[in-house]
Amino acid sequence: MIRRTFIALTATTALAAPAFADNHDSGDMAEMNIVETAQENGNFTTLLAAAEAAGLAETLSGEGPYTVFAPTDDAFDALPDGTVESLLADTEQLTSILTYHVIPSAVMSGDLEDGMTAETVNGESVEISIDGDTVMVDGATVTQADIEASNGVIHVVDTVLMPGEGSGDSDM
C-alpha cells in the first residue's frame, strides 16, 4: 500500500511542478548532507545540538534518504521554560521526539496531499494538511519547503512536533 501510494505520488509529481516549493538556490546545498545543510543555514543550532546529544547527527549525515521536518531555533525557544534542558537530560525522550521529525524516505512538497499521513522513524505517523498555499505537519506550519540535501530533504517547521499528538495510520 505504502509503495503503491508513493509510486502514484511520484508519477503525479513528475507531471506537475511542486506547488509549495520555496524559491531558493539549492545547487550548493544538494552537495551537502542534511546535517551540513542545517549547519550552513544557521537557524537550527538547537536542533543540531539535540541531534548530537541523542546520537542522531551521524545517522542524519548518512546515506538516507530522509525527510526532516526541522524546527527552527525559534520553535525550540517557544517551548515552556526548561523543556529543552529537560529533554537534553532525557536521551530516550529526546530521541523519540527527534525521530518523530524524520521520515525514512525523501518526500518533496509536490508529493503531498491534504489528509495524508506518513510514518516517522519513531513509528508514529504525522498528518499532512494543506489549505491553499499553507502546508502543515501535525499542526506545525511548513515555513520553507524542499531544501534539498545529498541524502534527503528538509522542510522547515515553526513548531516542535510531539509524538502522541499526531495522526494514526500511515499512507506513505
Side-chain angles (χ1 to χ4, degrees):
M1 173 68 170
I2 294 170
R3 185 175 182 172
R4 280 184 291 159
T5 301
F6 188 72
I7 290 170
L9 288 172
T10 302
T12 302
T13 303
L15 299 173
F20 308 107
D22 190 13
N23 291 332
H24 63 276
D25 179 16
S26 63
D28 293 333
M29 294 295 196
E31 296 176 11
M32 296 185 283
N33 64 45
I34 287 171
V35 171
E36 294 166 337
T37 302
Q39 288 170 335
E40 179 81 10
N41 179 285
N43 198 21
F44 303 106
T45 56
T46 306
L47 175 62
L48 291 169
E52 188 68 38
L56 297 173
E58 185 175 329
T59 300
L60 293 175
S61 296
E63 189 172 319
Y66 303 106
T67 296
V68 177
F69 297 109
T72 62
D73 291 336
D74 288 342
F76 279 99
D77 289 344
L79 292 172
D81 287 342
T83 301
V84 173
E85 294 77 11
S86 173
L87 290 173
L88 290 172
D90 184 350
T91 307
E92 186 176 326
Q93 184 179 17
L94 178 63
T95 300
S96 175
I97 290 170
L98 293 178
T99 56
Y100 189 65
H101 288 79
V102 180
I103 297 172
S105 62
V107 181
M108 302 302 283
S109 63
D111 298 333
L112 304 176
E113 292 180 12
D114 187 42
M116 73 185 320
T117 58
E119 187 172 341
T120 65
V121 171
N122 94 344
E124 293 189 43
S125 294
V126 293
E127 182 174 358
I128 309 300
S129 58
I130 302 171
D131 183 14
D133 288 341
T134 303
V135 177
M136 298 185 81
V137 180
D138 273 3
T141 301
V142 176
T143 59
Q144 185 175 4
D146 298 334
I147 302 173
E148 294 182 58
S150 62
N151 62 342
V153 61
I154 298 170
H155 301 295
V156 181
V157 293
D158 67 351
T159 305
V160 177
L161 305 174
M162 295 294 178
E165 297 177 8
S167 176
D169 301 323
S170 178
D171 292 340
M172 284 207 243

